[in-house]
Amino acid sequence: MYDVAVIGAGPAGATLARLIGKSRKVLVIERRDLLEQKQDTITKLCGGLIAPDAQCMLGKLGLGVPREVLVGPQLFTVRTIDIQKNMERYYQRHYINIDREKFDVWLGSLIPASVDIRCGWFFKSFERTGTSVRLKLKFNGKEYIEETKLLVGADGAFSPVRRILAPQIPQKKYLAVQEWFKVSQNLPYFLVIFDQTLTDFYSWTIPKEEYLLVGAALLPREKPREKFTSLKEKLRHYGFEVKDPVKKGAALIIRPQSSSQICLGEGNISLIGEAAGLISPTSAEGLSYALRSALALAQSIQEDPQNYLRSYFRRTGSLKYNIIAKNLKAPFMYRPFLRQAVMKSGITSMKQPQLSDKE
């Protein structure tokens, strides 16, 4: 029997396994092959930017991003365009631009050798059996059973563990669509696009070496394909080279509208990262929440294994307040009149230098 079984080896699951792997008997189940990158492996849809909050958490965890994970250019500017109001602003903000799949492989490589990592395995279901949890797993078409004292769902926004544990808690869903385009020249900024005719969330472009990543968070039932096509047409109007994508992807993401949509666990089952509903409702940034919740759960398991969940609830209280605060901020970003007032004021924006021919 395992002490802890972790479903998912993304940033949340890998961090938890790294922190408790030397003192507990740990099983990690991951559907992707994170031990060896392959061309046909399952990849995670992600913009691949490490925001300042996540950078802070990496620092607290004593981690520095290795060179092989980085991609150019490194970004210090956000260009913001409100298409309907025909307004734009530039804001200073430092992101670390990364290859997301290599980042996950790197985090996975930090997990202690004593941890049982099973890549290419799928979690099917769980059943409580007294003081333990029985897991049903699948690998190469065959089903397997494992038993654990504690089960942790670190399996993303639409976590099967959460779906079984708390199916009654609603979540607002978006379809995140991304395409990669080869471009002759990339601009050194992260572009954020607001357009209420496309989505009540936002769209983006991110430069990645010789490629430009174009994405949008769209409501699944409001013609997302047609709206993504419309986004690309509008980007071409702004001079972006977005023809003939070399790679496409789509995935459902969530957007918590209140702290009541966060589910941290029950009994001997807990959730971390996006599986718990921990993701920014203003930007859909999830890495900092993944790292913070993984650290909080690891500390709780290590210090008080009998009452770990109570301790975990207490340690993640600030994350709930953070999401409440971001929902209070959201109207100033996503309600057109308030956004226009903020952008028109120029608060915290950067002035772009205008150089004459003589200069």
Side-chain angles (χ1 to χ4, degrees), residues 209-343:
E209 302 291 354
E210 70 271 28
Y211 297 98
L212 182 71
L213 189 156
V214 176
L218 307 167
L219 291 168
R221 297 184 180 181
E222 295 188 8
K223 301 180 179 178
R225 182 178 297 179
E226 290 88 341
K227 290 189 175 182
F228 193 75
T229 298
S230 177
L231 169 65
K232 291 185 288 184
E233 291 172 353
K234 294 179 180 186
L235 285 172
R236 283 192 283 269
H237 175 75
Y238 280 89
F240 288 87
E241 303 173 62
V242 286
K243 293 182 179 179
D244 303 320
V246 297
K247 186 164 66 172
K248 301 180 180 181
L252 288 170
I253 62 173
I254 59 171
R255 188 183 186 187
Q257 296 173 292
S258 73
S259 60
S260 64
Q261 294 176 342
I262 297 170
C263 177
L264 298 172
E266 175 189 305
N268 53 356
I269 301 172
S270 54
L271 302 168
I272 56 177
E274 289 183 61
L278 296 169
I279 186 171
S280 169
T282 54
S283 66
E285 187 274 326
L287 180 55
S288 64
Y289 296 89
L291 299 176
R292 288 176 66 182
S293 58
L295 175 60
L297 184 58
Q299 291 172 329
S300 300
I301 290 173
Q302 298 284 55
E303 293 179 8
D304 191 1
Q306 299 303 317
N307 300 292
Y308 83 98
L309 200 56
R310 181 184 302 174
S311 176
Y312 179 50
F313 285 7
R314 176 177 54 80
R315 292 177 184 276
T316 51
S318 61
L319 289 177
K320 285 190 174 184
Y321 288 123
N322 180 279
I323 287 176
I324 291 170
K326 286 185 181 292
N327 272 306
L328 293 174
K329 175 186 174 182
F332 294 93
M333 296 177 63
Y334 294 104
R335 290 185 185 174
F337 175 75
L338 292 175
R339 180 173 62 243
Q340 181 185 17
V342 171
M343 292 181 70

Side-chain angles (χ1 to χ4, degrees), residues 74-318:
Q74 294 306 308
L75 305 175
F76 305 96
T77 307
V78 178
R79 181 185 178 188
T80 302
I81 298 178
D82 187 323
I83 290 181
Q84 290 171 294
K85 300 297 182 181
N86 194 29
M87 296 180 66
E88 66 176 88
R89 286 280 186 261
Y90 290 80
Y91 299 92
Q92 183 179 9
R93 191 166 169 84
H94 177 228
Y95 292 92
I96 298 176
N97 202 355
I98 60 168
D99 181 312
R100 175 56 196 270
E101 204 64 21
K102 289 182 179 179
F103 180 77
D104 282 7
V105 170
W106 167 62
L107 287 179
S109 73
L110 303 178
I111 298 173
S114 57
V115 173
D116 184 359
I117 306 175
R118 301 187 190 178
C119 291
W121 287 60
F122 291 82
F123 166 80
K124 304 299 293 182
S125 64
F126 71 80
E127 178 185 1
R128 284 190 172 107
T129 56
T131 59
S132 65
V133 182
R134 183 174 294 135
L135 309 179
K136 183 181 290 186
L137 310 170
K138 193 170 184 180
F139 178 69
N140 282 344
K142 296 182 179 180
E143 289 193 350
Y144 298 83
I145 301 295
E146 293 290 357
E147 199 162 355
T148 181
K149 297 175 184 176
L150 304 179
L151 172 63
V152 180
D155 44 349
F158 290 89
S159 158
V161 176
R162 174 177 171 137
R163 198 161 54 238
I164 298 169
L165 180 67
Q168 75 282 3
I169 300 178
Q171 294 175 298
K172 187 172 184 179
K173 305 176 182 67
Y174 288 83
L175 182 68
V177 182
Q178 290 189 152
E179 292 184 356
W180 291 64
F181 300 87
K182 192 156 190 177
V183 292
S184 58
Q185 183 179 5
N186 249 322
L187 297 172
Y189 53 70
F190 171 30
L191 174 63
V192 173
I193 305 151
F194 297 107
D195 186 342
Q196 292 295 118
T197 67
L198 301 177
T199 177
D200 63 354
F201 214 174
Y202 76 106
S203 307
W204 59 87
T205 73
I206 302 170
K208 298 280 184 182
E209 302 291 354
E210 70 271 28
Y211 297 98
L212 182 71
L213 189 156
V214 176
L218 307 167
L219 291 168
R221 297 184 180 181
E222 295 188 8
K223 301 180 179 178
R225 182 178 297 179
E226 290 88 341
K227 290 189 175 182
F228 193 75
T229 298
S230 177
L231 169 65
K232 291 185 288 184
E233 291 172 353
K234 294 179 180 186
L235 285 172
R236 283 192 283 269
H237 175 75
Y238 280 89
F240 288 87
E241 303 173 62
V242 286
K243 293 182 179 179
D244 303 320
V246 297
K247 186 164 66 172
K248 301 180 180 181
L252 288 170
I253 62 173
I254 59 171
R255 188 183 186 187
Q257 296 173 292
S258 73
S259 60
S260 64
Q261 294 176 342
I262 297 170
C263 177
L264 298 172
E266 175 189 305
N268 53 356
I269 301 172
S270 54
L271 302 168
I272 56 177
E274 289 183 61
L278 296 169
I279 186 171
S280 169
T282 54
S283 66
E285 187 274 326
L287 180 55
S288 64
Y289 296 89
L291 299 176
R292 288 176 66 182
S293 58
L295 175 60
L297 184 58
Q299 291 172 329
S300 300
I301 290 173
Q302 298 284 55
E303 293 179 8
D304 191 1
Q306 299 303 317
N307 300 292
Y308 83 98
L309 200 56
R310 181 184 302 174
S311 176
Y312 179 50
F313 285 7
R314 176 177 54 80
R315 292 177 184 276
T316 51
S318 61

